[in-house]
Amino acid sequence: MGSRRNFLEKLTVSAVGLPLLYHSNPLFAASEAPYQGPVLKVAIMGLGSYGTRVAEAMKDCKRAKLVGVISGTPSKIKDWQAKYDIPKKNCYNYENFDAIKDNKDIDAVYVITPNGLHKDQSIRVAKAGKHVICEKPMAVNADEAQEMVDACKAAKVHLLIGYRMHYEPKTVEVIKMRQNGEFGKVKFFQGQSGFTIGDPSQWRLNKELAGGGAMMDIGIYSINGARYMLGEEPIWVTAQETKTDPIKFKEGVDETIQFQLGFPSGAVANCLSTYNMSHLDRFFMTGSEGWVEMQPSTGYGPIKGRTHKGELNQSHTTHQTLQMDGMSQLIFEGVQPIVPLDGEEGLKDMKIIDAIYEAAETGEKVAISL
C-alpha cells in the first residue's frame, strides 16, 4: 500500500507540475505562440552548393525568409523560382541587380560567390541600400575587406559575415565556460582544418577567384576558432608552407600551411590548414584548470566535444538556420551573438591571413596589429 500511495503522490505532483513545465519550456512555448516579429527578407546571390545549403536551412527559420535570387545562370533562377516560390520580380542577374534598390521586398542580400567577387558585389549591394551578408572569407585581402567595411558604413547598412559557428550551441557553451574561468588560465590552442580537394579546375584553386588556396577556404576556421576559443587577439605569427603538387596548386594557391599565433597573455596557437589531408576538423584547448576537445569542430553536421567536465550535450540545429535567425535578430533588435560577426570581425581575420602569407613567404615572425 505504501508503494502504491507513494506512486500516486508522485503522479499527482507530476500532473500539477505539467502546466509549469509547459509554460517554462521554450520548446512548448514556441509551439504555443508562433513568432510574430519582423522577418528579414533575404535574396541569395550565387546559387551554388552552399547557396543551396543556406536556402534549405532557411526553410526552418522563423525570423528570416528567402524571397529573392541573383545568379548569372538563367536555368538556376528558373529552378529556384519553382522550388522556393520566388516571384519573378525578385530575380536578378549580375548585371542588373543594382535595381534591388527599388525593391522593398528585399532587406538583405547574402553574397555566396567566389571570394574574388565579394568586394565589388558587396559594395554594389550596399550602394543599393540593402544589408550585406557576405560569406567568409569576406575578401581576398585586408585592403579589400576595409573597402567593404567603409562602403557599408557610408551606406548605413549592416555588413555581416557568415560565421555560423558563432551561433552553434556547443561552441557557444565552450566560449561561456572559458569566459567563466572554468579552464583557468588558457595556455594553448590547436586547430586542424583540412580535406583533400578534388577537381583541379574548380574556382577554389584559381588564385584570381579564391585569393589563395586552403587558407582562404578552410584555414580561416582555425584562425577564427583560435580567436574565439582563447578570447584574445594574436600579436604575432610564424608560418611554413608545404607544396607537394605544384601542378594542381599553382603559384599563389597554397596546399598546406602550418602557422603559429602568439597572444598577449603568453598563450600560443598551433594550426594546420590543408587541401591535401582529410579528416582534419579538430580543435583542442588547454588551460591551468581544464581542457576541451571538439571533433568535428566546424563541420556542417552535429559538432561533437568533451571537456574535463564531460561530454558537451547541447542539441544540434542546422547552423545556417541559427545563423540567419540570429542575423535577423541582430539587424532588427540589435541582439549580438557571443562573438561578433560584423565586417570588422571579418577584417581581423583577413589581416591575420595576410600576415600568415607574409610569414610563410619570408620565413620571418610577422607582427599583427588588429
Side-chain angles (χ1 to χ4, degrees):
M1 287 294 292
S3 297
R4 182 172 181 271
R5 182 162 52 249
N6 290 341
F7 171 77
L8 290 174
E9 287 174 352
K10 290 179 180 178
L11 185 64
T12 302
V13 170
S14 298
V16 170
L18 276 176
L20 178 62
L21 172 65
Y22 183 87
H23 288 291
S24 63
N25 190 315
L27 295 177
F28 288 121
S31 61
E32 180 185 20
Y35 175 70
Q36 299 292 328
V39 173
L40 185 69
K41 296 170 289 186
V42 179
I44 289 180
M45 179 188 296
L47 310 184
S49 60
Y50 193 73
T52 300
R53 185 179 292 275
V54 172
E56 288 298 303
M58 288 185 70
K59 289 179 178 179
D60 295 324
C61 284
K62 293 179 174 60
R63 298 172 178 269
K65 181 181 180 181
L66 174 62
V67 299
V69 294
I70 302 169
S71 174
T73 308
S75 60
K76 285 186 178 181
I77 292 177
K78 185 177 180 180
D79 291 344
W80 278 52
Q81 274 189 271
K83 186 173 184 178
Y84 299 106
D85 192 26
I86 295 172
K88 186 175 182 180
K89 68 181 182 64
N90 290 354
C91 298
Y92 300 87
N93 59 45
Y94 295 132
E95 285 71 43
N96 68 12
F97 75 81
D98 305 273
I100 60 173
K101 180 178 182 179
D102 302 315
N103 191 332
K104 295 182 179 179
D105 290 338
I106 295 175
D107 299 317
V109 175
Y110 196 159
V111 179
I112 313 177
T113 54
N115 310 335
L117 306 178
H118 288 178
K119 184 199 77 170
D120 289 344
Q121 291 171 338
S122 295
I123 290 175
R124 285 173 65 185
V125 170
K127 288 182 176 178
K130 305 300 180 180
H131 300 298
V132 180
I133 303 170
C134 184
E135 192 46 41
K136 63 189 178 307
M138 66 183 289
V140 298
N141 56 51
D143 288 342
E144 285 197 358
Q146 186 66 63
E147 287 186 58
M148 294 165 64
V149 170
D150 294 342
C152 290
K153 284 183 178 178
K156 294 181 172 56
V157 297
H158 284 278
L159 171 58
L160 305 178
I161 313 302
Y163 290 114
R164 57 188 168 83
M165 302 311 299
H166 297 192
Y167 290 105
E168 195 282 316
K170 292 183 178 69
T171 301
V172 170
E173 176 62 21
V174 170
I175 295 170
K176 287 180 177 178
M177 289 179 67
R178 189 257 303 152
Q179 289 176 338
N180 292 334
E182 294 182 49
F183 301 112
K185 180 177 173 56
V186 180
K187 299 181 179 182
F188 176 77
F189 170 85
Q190 182 182 58
Q192 299 174 342
S193 301
F195 64 92
T196 303
I197 199 165
D199 180 11
S201 66
Q202 63 181 283
W203 70 263
R204 288 178 178 82
L205 297 176
N206 180 315
K207 170 71 161 91
E208 184 177 347
L209 290 176
M215 183 62 61
M216 302 294 290
D217 182 25
I218 192 74
I220 192 171
Y221 283 104
S222 281
I223 294 170
N224 197 249
R227 294 174 55 227
Y228 64 64
M229 293 281 277
L230 291 169
E232 292 187 84
E233 301 295 8
I235 55 176
W236 59 258
V237 62
T238 55
Q240 306 80 39
E241 180 176 4
T242 304
K243 187 172 291 191
T244 64
D245 187 348
I247 303 301
K248 187 173 186 178
F249 303 99
K250 297 178 175 60
E251 181 70 24
V253 179
D254 50 288
E255 174 186 333
T256 300
I257 293 180
Q258 298 177 72
F259 60 96
Q260 302 78 39
L261 298 168
F263 295 82
S265 69
V268 292
N270 186 15
C271 303
L272 173 67
S273 164
T274 184
Y275 266 160
N276 194 32
M277 288 175 259
S278 294
H279 316 299
L280 290 177
D281 183 11
R282 176 180 179 268
F283 286 174
F284 174 79
M285 184 173 72
T286 187
S288 60
E289 304 296 332
W291 54 269
V292 55
E293 179 182 40
M294 306 179 79
Q295 186 176 9
S297 56
T298 62
Y300 297 140
I303 301 303
K304 294 182 180 180
R306 60 196 180 103
T307 77
H308 58 289
K309 293 188 173 183
E311 296 289 326
L312 296 168
N313 56 17
Q314 288 72 22
S315 61
H316 171 72
T317 301
T318 302
H319 302 170
Q320 294 81 3
T321 304
L322 295 173
Q323 173 193 313
M324 297 310 295
D325 271 346
M327 286 181 168
S328 174
Q329 198 171 18
L330 186 158
I331 288 172
F332 290 125
E333 302 172 40
V335 178
Q336 297 288 338
I338 194 166
V339 178
L341 42 70
D342 54 20
E344 284 80 2
E345 176 75 4
L347 174 59
K348 290 176 181 179
D349 279 345
M350 294 312 307
K351 287 181 177 180
I352 296 169
I353 288 177
D354 286 355
I356 290 171
Y357 281 140
E358 181 184 346
E361 182 178 356
T362 64
E364 301 291 335
K365 177 186 286 189
V366 175
I368 299 173
S369 178
L370 301 182

